[in-house]
Amino acid sequence: MSCHTADVIAHHGVLENAVSFLQKPFTGVDLAAKVRAALDQQSRFWLRCGG
């Protein structure tokens, strides 16, 4: 979460590929979806690594 717009962050290369970004303003549904996606991504990582 950042006070900068996604365009500014992407333009300056501040955001890395593995970082989940949630642009403000967002709803509770948006937040829940982003958290779910991050957890699913982490689970896939551990499965690939044999964890």
Side-chain angles (χ1 to χ4, degrees):
M1 186 167 43
S2 171
C3 61
H4 300 288
T5 66
D7 292 340
V8 170
I9 290 172
H11 177 70
H12 291 285
V14 176
L15 196 60
E16 296 179 14
N17 288 337
V19 174
S20 295
F21 179 76
L22 183 60
Q23 188 171 357
K24 292 190 283 186
F26 56 85
T27 66
V29 172
D30 296 333
L31 177 60
K34 187 61 77 169
V35 169
R36 178 78 265 158
L39 292 172
D40 289 346
Q41 181 180 15
Q42 187 67 25
S43 294
R44 287 191 299 273
F45 169 79
W46 285 110
L47 288 173
R48 284 194 312 266
C49 292

